[in-house]
């Protein structure tokens, strides 16, 4: 479930160029204590079914950064493959921290911070049933600039108003047919940007 890209060098008579080295993905089990406020007894999956995946990603500064996602163990290989493809595409991700770093693991705070995340034991916005995030089977990507919009026009996060204009082409904004979207959907993930209502441009899920 780990891959390593070896540095390669191409020489000409006058120049030398190198391919950046990226660290291999690292997969570790998690405990209830590590999950903090993002998990509690009664959640639909226990910590033993989740894995912490440490991955490199390209930041908004164009540099390589290390981030972490917590996902269901069944999706680990898939998640690694998707994010390796995003890295090759140079698709920028502002930050990638697990949600227990935010007060009470509040999704709103994570989204306002444009934080890409996966597992969080929380209900659907409607309050009827569990979100697939509660199973570690969904990932929200750059959620500030790819907001959630319900049928009444309410948005999440609440500071995402400028990004309701989906004609914008800022780095990290997702559009139908983008290579970054296809990195997920070509592997069988569903994208919330394809839904009629709600529109959930940040959201990718795999059942």
């Amino acid at each position: 479930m780990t891959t390593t890209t070896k540095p390669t060098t191409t020489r000409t008579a006058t120049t030398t160029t190198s391919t950046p080295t990226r660290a291999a993905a690292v997969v570790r089990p998690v405990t209830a204590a590590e999950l903090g406020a993002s998990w509690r007894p009664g959640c639909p999956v226990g910590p033993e079914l989740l894995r912490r995946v440490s991955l490199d990603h390209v930041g908004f500064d164009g540099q390589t950064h290390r981030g972490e996602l917590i996902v269901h163990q069944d999706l680990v290989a898939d998640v690694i493959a998707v994010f390796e493809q995003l890295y090759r595409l140079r698709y920028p991700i502002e930050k990638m921290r697990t949600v227990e770093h935010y007060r009470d693991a509040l999704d709103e705070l994570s989204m306002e911070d444009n934080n890409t995340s996966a597992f969080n034991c929380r209900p659907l916005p409607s309050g009827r049933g569990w979100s697939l995030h509660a199973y570690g089977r969904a990932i929200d990507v750059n959620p500030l600039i790819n907001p959630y919009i319900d049928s009444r026009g309410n948005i999440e996060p609440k500071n995402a108003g400028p990004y309701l204009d989906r004609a914008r082409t800022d780095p990290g904004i997702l559009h139908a047919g983008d290579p970054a979207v296809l990195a997920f959907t070509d592997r069988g993930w569903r994208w919330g940007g394809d839904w009629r209502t709600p529109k959930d441009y940040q959201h990718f899920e795999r059942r």
Side-chain angles (χ1 to χ4, degrees):
M1 293 183 290
T2 61
T3 59
T4 303
T5 301
K6 296 181 179 179
T8 59
T9 302
T10 302
R11 296 185 182 275
T12 66
T14 57
T15 62
T16 299
T17 58
S18 297
T19 301
T21 300
R22 113 177 147 262
V26 175
V27 181
R28 300 189 302 275
V30 295
T31 65
E34 291 172 334
L35 293 172
S38 71
W39 184 87
R40 59 193 178 278
C43 290
V45 298
E48 71 279 0
L49 295 179
L50 301 170
R51 297 293 181 269
R52 184 184 301 272
V53 184
S54 299
L55 299 156
D56 282 352
H57 65 90
V58 176
F60 278 20
D61 59 1
Q63 302 301 307
T64 297
H65 298 270
R66 195 71 166 171
E68 291 188 329
L69 295 169
I70 292 176
V71 300
H72 195 283
Q73 63 181 1
D74 293 348
L75 297 182
V76 166
D78 217 29
V79 167
I80 291 173
V82 167
F83 279 83
E84 285 182 343
Q85 186 169 345
L86 294 179
Y87 188 95
R88 291 194 299 270
L89 290 167
R90 308 296 292 172
Y91 173 78
I93 295 171
E94 183 163 7
K95 60 193 67 173
M96 196 158 67
R97 309 173 73 203
T98 52
V99 293
E100 76 274 6
H101 288 94
Y102 296 88
R103 178 174 53 85
D104 298 327
L106 287 174
D107 187 46
E108 174 68 21
L109 297 179
S110 177
M111 289 190 294
E112 288 177 10
D113 200 30
N114 205 28
N115 178 55
T116 294
S117 68
F119 173 78
N120 192 358
C121 184
R122 57 182 174 85
L124 291 165
S126 67
R128 297 188 294 271
W130 292 107
S131 165
L132 283 184
H133 288 281
Y135 298 85
R137 292 184 171 273
I139 300 174
D140 288 343
V141 178
N142 287 330
L144 172 60
I145 62 175
N146 297 298
Y148 169 94
I149 311 164
D150 72 14
S151 59
R152 295 173 293 177
N154 298 316
I155 64 171
E156 296 179 11
K158 62 186 179 184
N159 59 337
Y163 301 100
L164 294 178
D165 176 7
R166 302 313 291 172
R168 293 180 65 145
T169 57
D170 309 48
I173 289 184
L174 296 166
H175 305 93
D178 283 353
V181 172
L182 296 177
F184 285 91
T185 58
D186 283 354
R187 291 179 170 85
W189 292 66
R190 297 176 65 217
W191 178 46
D194 284 332
W195 300 345
R196 182 175 179 182
T197 185
K199 283 287 189 182
D200 201 355
Y201 293 105
Q202 63 196 256
H203 182 88
F204 295 91
E205 64 180 39
R206 186 160 188 186
R207 295 179 182 270

